[in-house]
Amino acid sequence: MTIWSVVRLIIFMLIVPMCMGQLFKFILKKELRTLGITFVLGFFIYSGIIQIISILCILTVASKPNAFETCFKGCLLAVLLFAVAGCFRFDKNMLKKPDIKSLSTDTRIFYGIFFALVIFQMVMAVSTRIFDGDNSFYVTQSIIAQKTGAMYTVDPNKGGIIPVDGRHALAAIPMWIAFIAKAAGVHSTIVTYTVWPVLIIPLVYFIFHEIAKVLFADNTAMIPIFMIMVNMLMIFGNVSIYTPATFFLMRTWQGKSMLTSIAFPAILLIFLWMFKETGGEEKTLSQKASFWGLLTLVNMFSGMCSEMGVMFGAGLVALLTLVLLYSSKRMTVLLGAFFSVIPNLVYVVLYKLM
């Protein structure tokens, strides 16, 4: 049973998002259809599916017995349909080995240090237990959903029945964790503290690595050095319990952690891709909606992480759009930016209604 649970964890945390990314990779530009970026795309689509179905269930059946069972069945059906469809579009060409031989000896050493630091953080995140007051609420909500079927209607501290709190309920990361735990047949705390960091930590550093590839496109030898610096900031960033580094390594499972370590860097990365297209001799920006579509998914994820993601995600998009508008000299970027923040506007309405 343990082996079968591990297999299901691999399926629902690695294979499912990869297959979803394969299904929708057509929205990416050809040069971006790599294995890693395809997985990131699938990750955001995966979160969006769980988010939409979870919020619909919270708004409609949260007060009924076994509400999460309804949510779980809906999520499972949608997830498997998209994943199976993506299997038929799998591109084997993405599995080619990276060209390591072309790297200098110094670059290889720096990459070795970088990977060693990432592995060190993963091991410490799994093996070290950090007490945090939020554990008693967010993690417990995942457990309650998995074990009793209630969705934000049980007080995790006292056990009594409470009305649905929109501030917490609309940030549906605990429901995503509960879904994976139930699908894999393991306890929610195992997914939260042991499995989740193994997925999130490498994903975060991959996004930063893609940022570095844009920033140091003319000097690739600087990329691993930049990544080592990012690692150092994360490892030694515990100067307060409120820093992004503290949340990233000690509260990896929490929505606010993924907001600052995944959503915001992903927004920056997407705009860097667009800035890159305006930096050529022609200084034109592709008419394709791929960047704005991906940005919409990231904004959905921001709202799923935290109430603050709704405001700050839209604010970051607005700020970077002004820079892009100046760089591209095209008013159409305003239309794309507006389209990408529609999820944020929907969230504002939902928060007002609840």
Side-chain angles (χ1 to χ4, degrees):
M1 291 298 294
T2 301
I3 295 175
W4 177 228
S5 294
V6 172
V7 171
R8 284 186 287 174
L9 282 171
I10 294 173
I11 291 174
F12 283 97
M13 297 194 72
L14 296 178
I15 297 178
V16 163
M18 177 56 72
C19 290
M20 287 184 179
Q22 292 287 341
L23 181 62
F24 292 97
K25 68 181 178 181
F26 63 87
I27 73 170
L28 298 173
K29 296 175 68 65
K30 289 185 178 180
E31 58 269 26
L32 297 179
R33 295 176 188 176
T34 63
L35 189 68
I37 295 176
T38 300
F39 180 86
V40 172
L41 172 63
F43 177 85
F44 287 125
I45 294 172
Y46 193 4
S47 68
I49 292 173
I50 303 296
Q51 176 187 27
I52 292 172
I53 296 176
S54 296
I55 292 177
L56 286 176
C57 290
I58 289 169
L59 294 174
T60 56
V61 299
S63 60
K64 298 181 180 180
N66 299 318
F68 182 71
E69 186 68 24
T70 303
C71 177
F72 173 79
K73 290 179 180 178
C75 291
L76 185 63
L77 177 61
V79 164
L80 291 180
L81 283 175
F82 282 108
V84 171
C87 289
F88 294 100
R89 295 178 57 88
F90 191 82
D91 185 6
K92 295 181 180 180
N93 295 326
M94 293 193 305
L95 299 178
K96 60 182 179 180
K97 295 182 180 179
D99 186 13
I100 301 176
K101 295 182 180 180
S102 63
L103 301 177
S104 66
T105 302
D106 290 345
T107 302
R108 294 183 194 180
I109 293 173
F110 287 136
Y111 266 116
I113 296 172
F114 160 60
F115 285 120
L117 289 172
V118 173
I119 293 172
F120 168 74
Q121 290 170 73
M122 292 170 63
V123 171
M124 293 301 295
V126 171
S127 62
T128 306
R129 291 292 172 263
I130 304 297
F131 172 78
D132 184 79
D134 286 341
N135 293 20
S136 63
F137 185 88
Y138 294 100
V139 180
T140 308
Q141 289 291 5
S142 298
I143 299 171
I144 292 173
Q146 182 187 8
K147 298 300 181 180
T148 70
M151 299 179 69
Y152 296 102
T153 56
V154 175
D155 189 335
N157 297 311
K158 300 178 181 179
I161 302 300
I162 57 174
V164 176
D165 178 9
R167 175 176 173 269
H168 295 102
L170 295 178
I173 292 292
M175 297 301 104
W176 192 7
I177 292 175
F179 168 78
I180 293 175
K182 189 175 180 65
V186 299
H187 202 278
S188 292
T189 53
I190 296 175
V191 175
T192 302
Y193 297 120
T194 304
V195 183
W196 203 252
V198 176
L199 170 67
I200 297 301
I201 291 175
L203 180 63
V204 169
Y205 284 115
F206 173 79
I207 294 174
F208 276 103
H209 187 265
E210 290 297 317
I211 291 174
K213 287 171 64 176
V214 179
L215 295 177
F216 303 105
D218 298 328
N219 187 8
T220 56
M222 287 296 297
I223 294 177
I225 299 175
F226 173 83
M227 294 307 301
I228 292 173
M229 293 175 63
V230 174
N231 270 268
M232 292 295 99
L233 291 173
M234 292 298 189
I235 294 174
F236 297 103
N238 187 29
V239 295
S240 165
I241 63 173
Y242 300 111
T243 63
T246 301
F247 273 77
F248 170 54
L249 293 179
M250 298 184 182
R251 307 183 188 183
T252 312
W253 45 268
Q254 200 171 51
K256 290 186 285 291
S257 169
M258 286 177 275
L259 175 65
T260 56
S261 60
I262 294 180
F264 291 165
I267 292 174
L268 176 61
L269 174 60
I270 295 169
F271 273 96
L272 284 175
W273 284 335
M274 290 192 280
F275 292 148
K276 184 179 179 180
E277 289 204 356
T278 65
E281 294 182 358
E282 297 181 359
K283 295 185 180 301
T284 58
L285 183 65
S286 172
Q287 291 282 0
K288 292 183 179 179
S290 58
F291 293 130
W292 300 111
L294 184 55
L295 189 61
T296 303
L297 291 172
V298 177
N299 275 325
M300 289 179 64
F301 180 73
S302 298
M304 185 181 187
C305 288
S306 173
E307 178 186 17
M308 301 305 294
V310 177
M311 177 178 65
F312 287 117
L316 183 58
V317 169
L319 178 62
L320 293 174
T321 299
L322 290 177
V323 181
L324 182 63
L325 178 63
Y326 176 80
S327 176
S328 65
K329 305 295 190 298
R330 298 177 68 170
M331 297 298 292
T332 52
V333 301
L334 296 177
L335 181 62
F338 174 77
F339 177 81
S340 69
V341 299
I342 288 178
N344 305 67
L345 300 176
V346 172
Y347 256 106
V348 171
V349 174
L350 290 175
Y351 277 115
K352 290 293 184 180
L353 294 177
M354 295 188 69

